Structure formats: structure tokens, C-alpha cells
Amino acid sequence: MGKSRGTRWTRRAIPMVISTLILSCAKVGVPPGGPEDKTGPTIVSHFPESDAINAPRRMIARLEFSEPVNRPSVEAALFLSPDPRQRLRYRWSGRTLELIYLDSLDADRTYVISVGSQAKDERGNPCGTTYTIAFSTGQQIDRGSIRGWIEGLETPQAVSLWAYRIESEASVDPIRQTAEYGVQADRDGGFRFEYLKNGSYRVFAIHDRNRDGLWTPPAEPVGVPPWDVTVSEMSVPWISLRLAQQDTIAALIRSSRAVNDRLVDVRMNRPISTLAGWFVGPMKDTIAVLDAYADSAGADEWHVFPERRLTEGDWRIIAAGEDVFGSFWQDVDTFEVRARADTSRPRIYRMVPAPRSRARLTPEKIAIEFTEPIELDPEFAAMSTFVIGDSDTVVTEFVRSAPRMLDIVPDQLLPEGTGCRIFLWASSILDLSGNAVGDTTIAFDFSIWPADSLGMLVGKVVDVDSGRFAVYITAVRDRMPTAATETSAGAEFRIERLPAIQYVLEAFHDRDYDGKFSYGSVRPFVFSEPFWISSDTVLVRARWESETQIKWPSTQ
């Protein structure tokens, strides 16, 4: 009996004890699966070996990765120089990729296999850097290099860099020609070509979205080089490229539409920087364009205002200007005006200093830009005020400096370290149809930095003999441009009244002396302006002159 009860108790108790142990372990154990995988793949072995010479001309190259990879991403990030195009076959086996060259390799030639930073593992983690393997079918390896950096995309590692060897004066055409050498940019925008044959090269940066090895305008942003480079084993030339949308056709009006009898919206086929012209009506009457500006969503949609109301009927707009690359454009389009009066209120488009901002410099005026041309009612000046601090009212002059611009000019220098408030009588700010900005007073606040909390940056552009340079300083914490100045090579520049924080310094060689960065052009080919971005930050201290240098890199 005792043995029987003991056996029954044991049979019941053992599962209970095991269950208790399991539950206890579940409460204190490490979560299943271990830490999340955030590491990208690497290449752990390859054939041929790096810098191998006398490699066989009938070749099957091999790359073994550290972990299972996303095969399409690896193939998309793979660059072969020279590129065999369709005469190559991929063969995968687990973590290993074989590259089967279907044609015999050239004799005495350096070949480069490059796996770009966008090659990913099965969890989507990218390599983050470019792996390059070179071998030669001859007795030596080409050793030429080009270094550089790109700017213009949030994900620079998606950008391809293409180097075209210039054999003659014939132009290089990335629309029709594949490059002899290609690499991908790293996550920081840097790139480096290695194992190049000596000679002259032209380098383009392309966001090759369709991965066909060619530039497809305007869908794919392009970066044009500031110069061609000469590659030799004695030097490493550099290139900086800024990407932008470019097209090979002239800027044209895609469509035009009369919003009302005071406003025509014009849509361009690509971004432009200026638009001027006139309207021709059904009775051949002509009305000039009073004002025009780009919509905030992009420089290809413009709001255009005639000097007078447009009557009903069919109208033409005859417009011209410059595109964002400085090329002249002109075009004509037709639209219909219906009996539709302007009943919408004008709005404030922007204000300098911005509302609720802290001005670095003491402003001589406050500039307010509206969404359409305005007029001021005679009551406006009497009902609007400018207040410093809590109670000091400043005498001001209100000037309509342009059709859409209102300048507020105080009669005294605004004190530093104080707050300012502007009260505008909104019902006395009218558009050309008589619509008011508002029915009551609107108020704006801004303040001015106190002098004892600001510092100064003093510097020079060195290691370059001549030229005009535009210098920009950008706050690290918000990546917002803070100040700009112009200087000559070797001359001292000074940027005053800077908040005491860290900055990134940028500069470009202003070759055309227009104060604007020039992106260059693919067709017709025009070099861009070279630019430089500091790799280190600059710390500005309050009540202190911080010193810096822009060491302009050698072109060779």
C-alpha cells in the first residue's frame, strides 16, 4: 500500500515540479533569438586573391560572404571593370557567388571586382562600405586612384560613381556610354576609385535607379564634375560632386491655368529660377506680368500675377527666364479665363526674421512676403505698431518694396538681447481684388541674441593660389545654414555674431562670381564649381575669436 501511494504521488509530482521549473526559467531567462542582428555582411574569402598577377584568362571568380545575403542587392551593387555587360553569368551556392566570365579575359589587363556599400544581408543590413578586389592577367597591377565625395541625396550609398577614360577629344556621354570603371559611395558620401589605368578621366555621379549603367534624364539625379582628372601612380586627384535633376531638353511650359482673373498657375516641365513675360488677350490686348514666384513645393510650379484683371476668353502667356542651371528658356502657352473673381485672402508666405525666431544680426528692417501682390489701406500705418520689450513703442516706416513685399523699418537700432513684437492691422492689408489678410490685428514675435552670448569665426582659404570662394557655416545640431560670406584665396574672412555652438564649414570656388553654386551641365557639357566640406566641426565660443582654415585640396 505504501509503495503504491508513493508511486502514485511520484507520478503526479514529477510533472508538477517540471512545470514549476519551466515557468521559473521562463521568467528569468534571456529572450529567445538573442540580440538583434544589425551588422552587414562582409567578404570573408575570394578568388582570385587581391593583387594577383598572371591570373588565368578563362576565369570563374568567387566571392564568399560572412552570412546569407540578399542576392538581388548584391548583384545590383556589383561593379566589374572592365564591364563584360551581358557576357557574364552569376551562380549562387549558399553564401558564395561565382562570376563566370563567358569570354576570355584580355591579356595584360587589370580587372577590378567591386561590391558596393548597398549589398545587404537577408535582414536588410547593408555592408556600409565598398569591397574592392583587383587582379591582372599580366605581370603588373594598375595602381591609379581617384578620391572624392558627393552631396545631394539623403542616402549617398545609393549613388553610383562612373569613371570614363578620355582617349581623345570626343565627348563622354553617360546617356549612351557605359563607364569603364564604377564604384558606389559610402554612407558618409565618400568614394574612392582604385586600380585605375593611368590616363585622363571624367567622373559622373548618378542615382542609377533602373540599374542599367546609363543615365536616364530627368528621372535620375546626376552630379557633374568640376574638372577632368589625370590619374598616375604618383598622385591621387580629388573630385566633389553635387547631385541635381537635369534634363537634356529646354525648360518648357507644361500647362497653364487661370485660377481667377488675377492669378495664373504655370507648371513647367522642370525647375526654373526666374519667370517674366506678358499676357496676350482675345482682343490682342497685352498685359505685363506684375510678379511671379515658385510654389514652396518645388521650382517647377509658379504663381503668376498680371498687372490688370484678365477678361473672359482665350489668353496666351509668353514667358521667358533662366532655369536652375542658368540656361535661358522661353515658351508660349494658351489658357482660358472664365468669369471667376478673386475671393481668396492673401496670406503671409515668409517673414525675416522668422516668427518666434532669435535673430543673430540686429535687423535694419523686417521683411514680410505675401502670397500675392498687396496694397495698404490708409489706416494701416496708424493702426499697426512695433513694440520693444513690454512697452517701448518704436516709430516705424511701412514700405511696399515690391508687389508682394512689405518692409517694416524702425527709426532706431533695435537693442540686443531683447524681444520685439509687431502688431499689423490685417484688415488694412489688401490684395489687388480688395481681399484683406484678416479681420483683426495679427502679431509676430522675435528676439535678438545678446552680444555677450555670441562669438566670431576668423579664417582663410589656404593651399590654393587664386580664386573667389563662397564660405558657408552650418549649425551641427539642426543642419541649418547659419551664415555665409565671400573671400579670396589667402585673404582673411570674418563671420561675426555666431551663437556659441558647433558648426560645419563649407566652401565652393565661385568661378563665375555670381555668389551661387553652379551645378554644371551634361548636355551641353559644362563643368560644375568645386566645393569642399570640412570633415571636422568648428566650435565657436562666446566673446571669443575662433580661428580656422579651409585647406583647399590639391587637384592632383
Side-chain angles (χ1 to χ4, degrees):
M1 292 288 293
K3 185 175 182 181
S4 176
R5 290 193 193 101
T7 302
R8 285 197 299 269
W9 181 90
T10 304
R11 288 173 180 171
R12 293 173 182 174
I14 289 176
M16 293 175 62
V17 172
I18 293 175
S19 298
T20 302
L21 289 173
I22 291 174
L23 289 172
S24 176
C25 291
K27 291 178 182 179
V28 300
V30 178
E36 182 182 356
D37 177 16
K38 296 183 179 180
T39 304
T42 60
I43 295 177
V44 294
S45 69
H46 52 82
F47 175 84
E49 296 296 324
S50 295
D51 294 353
I53 59 175
N54 297 320
R57 295 176 60 191
R58 300 296 300 182
M59 171 66 68
I60 298 179
R62 186 184 68 253
L63 305 174
E64 183 183 357
F65 292 88
S66 59
E67 58 179 309
V69 294
N70 179 292
R71 295 177 180 182
S73 75
V74 172
E75 294 176 11
L78 192 66
F79 293 87
L80 306 172
S81 304
D83 190 349
R85 304 306 297 165
Q86 304 302 321
R87 300 296 295 166
L88 182 79
R89 182 178 299 162
Y90 298 145
R91 186 166 64 195
W92 285 93
S93 177
R95 295 179 290 129
T96 301
L97 169 62
E98 290 186 336
L99 307 173
I100 304 171
Y101 287 85
L102 301 179
D103 297 322
S104 179
L105 304 183
D106 294 339
D108 299 319
R109 181 67 188 263
T110 297
Y111 284 82
V112 182
I113 300 173
S114 175
V115 179
S117 57
Q118 279 295 84
K120 301 175 182 178
D121 63 18
E122 291 183 338
R123 292 179 177 267
N125 300 308
C127 287
T129 189
T130 296
Y131 293 87
T132 301
I133 301 158
F135 61 92
S136 174
T137 55
Q139 293 285 337
Q140 62 183 15
I141 299 279
D142 294 329
R143 297 291 182 182
S145 296
I146 302 172
R147 65 186 176 93
W149 58 89
I150 62 170
E151 188 181 61
L153 288 180
E154 293 184 0
T155 54
Q157 62 269 33
V159 175
S160 300
L161 286 304
W162 298 340
Y164 294 82
R165 196 154 181 258
I166 304 174
E167 300 283 359
S168 64
E169 293 300 318
S171 63
V172 173
D173 188 355
I175 294 178
R176 294 187 174 90
Q177 297 171 259
T178 58
E180 188 169 358
Y181 297 92
V183 294
Q184 263 185 327
D186 291 334
R187 281 178 291 190
D188 62 357
F191 65 87
R192 188 180 183 97
F193 289 93
E194 296 181 296
Y195 303 105
L196 303 182
K197 185 184 292 292
N198 291 348
S200 297
Y201 290 85
R202 180 168 296 171
V203 177
F204 290 95
I206 309 285
H207 189 190
D208 188 19
R209 288 172 170 147
N210 61 6
R211 299 171 180 172
D212 65 349
L214 300 170
W215 176 46
T216 306
E220 297 177 345
V222 60
V224 178
W227 45 60
D228 293 331
V229 294
T230 299
V231 170
S232 70
E233 296 181 10
M234 304 299 295
S235 62
V236 181
W238 71 278
I239 290 179
S240 56
L241 304 104
R242 273 196 170 112
L243 279 81
Q245 301 288 155
Q246 288 197 23
D247 205 340
T248 56
I249 62 173
L252 299 171
I253 297 175
R254 179 174 293 175
S255 64
S256 53
R257 179 180 67 92
V259 178
N260 52 58
D261 56 10
R262 286 285 192 177
L263 170 61
V264 176
D265 280 354
V266 174
R267 187 177 182 185
M268 305 295 297
N269 64 337
R270 59 190 183 88
I272 59 172
S273 58
T274 60
L275 185 154
W278 60 93
F279 300 94
V280 179
M283 305 303 293
K284 306 303 180 186
D285 49 330
T286 301
I287 299 177
V289 169
L290 174 64
D291 198 6
Y293 71 99
D295 187 274
S296 58
D300 55 348
E301 295 189 10
W302 282 65
H303 304 303
V304 185
F305 303 90
E307 282 188 335
R308 304 192 310 273
R309 281 192 174 92
L310 303 179
T311 58
E312 287 188 69
D314 293 332
W315 286 76
R316 284 189 301 155
I317 179 172
I318 302 172
E322 286 188 349
D323 64 15
V324 293
F325 302 104
S327 298
F328 177 77
W329 69 270
Q330 58 182 352
D331 199 14
V332 179
D333 196 40
T334 302
F335 60 93
E336 181 184 3
V337 177
R338 298 178 180 177
R340 184 182 301 151
D342 176 14
T343 58
S344 61
R345 293 181 184 270
R347 293 176 290 105
I348 292 176
Y349 185 60
R350 77 184 99 202
M351 176 178 167
V352 179
R356 297 181 297 278
S357 69
R358 206 172 189 185
R360 183 177 63 87
L361 302 175
T362 302
E364 296 181 358
K365 65 179 182 180
I366 291 83
I368 301 178
E369 182 178 1
F370 293 84
T371 55
E372 53 184 302
I374 60 165
E375 294 177 337
L376 301 180
D377 187 278
E379 296 183 353
F380 174 75
M383 300 296 291
S384 301
T385 57
F386 192 121
V387 179
I388 299 175
D390 295 330
S391 58
D392 293 337
T393 301
V394 178
V395 177
T396 53
E397 182 182 7
F398 298 95
V399 180
R400 195 173 68 94
S401 57
R404 294 183 299 108
M405 293 295 302
L406 173 63
D407 290 345
I408 304 173
V409 185
D411 68 346
Q412 65 185 46
L413 187 66
L414 300 178
E416 298 173 345
T418 58
C420 301
R421 172 167 287 190
I422 302 171
F423 297 91
L424 299 180
W425 191 244
S427 62
S428 295
I429 307 173
L430 313 173
D431 66 14
L432 301 186
S433 299
N435 301 302
V437 169
D439 298 325
T440 58
T441 301
I442 53 177
F444 303 97
D445 295 288
F446 68 92
S447 60
I448 304 170
W449 280 93
D452 60 0
S453 65
L454 301 174
M456 179 187 301
L457 184 67
V458 180
K460 291 182 180 180
V461 179
V462 299
D463 294 345
V464 63
D465 296 330
S466 61
R468 187 73 174 169
F469 294 84
V471 179
Y472 293 83
I473 187 167
T474 302
V476 172
R477 64 186 179 190
D478 55 13
R479 296 298 300 168
M480 293 297 292
T482 302
T485 188
E486 293 185 347
T487 187
S488 299
E492 184 180 84
F493 66 84
R494 304 171 73 86
I495 304 178
E496 300 179 352
R497 293 185 58 82
L498 291 172
I501 54 176
Q502 287 187 318
Y503 297 91
V504 171
L505 209 60
E506 304 181 26
F508 69 85
H509 187 179
D510 190 14
R511 289 169 171 167
D512 53 14
Y513 286 75
D514 68 348
K516 300 183 296 183
F517 178 79
S518 298
Y519 286 87
S521 171
V522 180
R523 285 186 177 180
F525 182 78
V526 178
F527 286 120
S528 67
E529 290 178 335
F531 69 93
W532 172 95
I533 302 176
S534 65
S535 56
D536 299 321
T537 59
V538 178
L539 176 62
V540 172
R541 291 186 171 90
R543 305 181 302 278
W544 195 266
E545 287 190 8
S546 301
E547 296 183 357
T548 188
Q549 284 187 341
I550 297 176
K551 295 184 177 181
W552 200 253
S554 170
T555 58
Q556 298 296 327

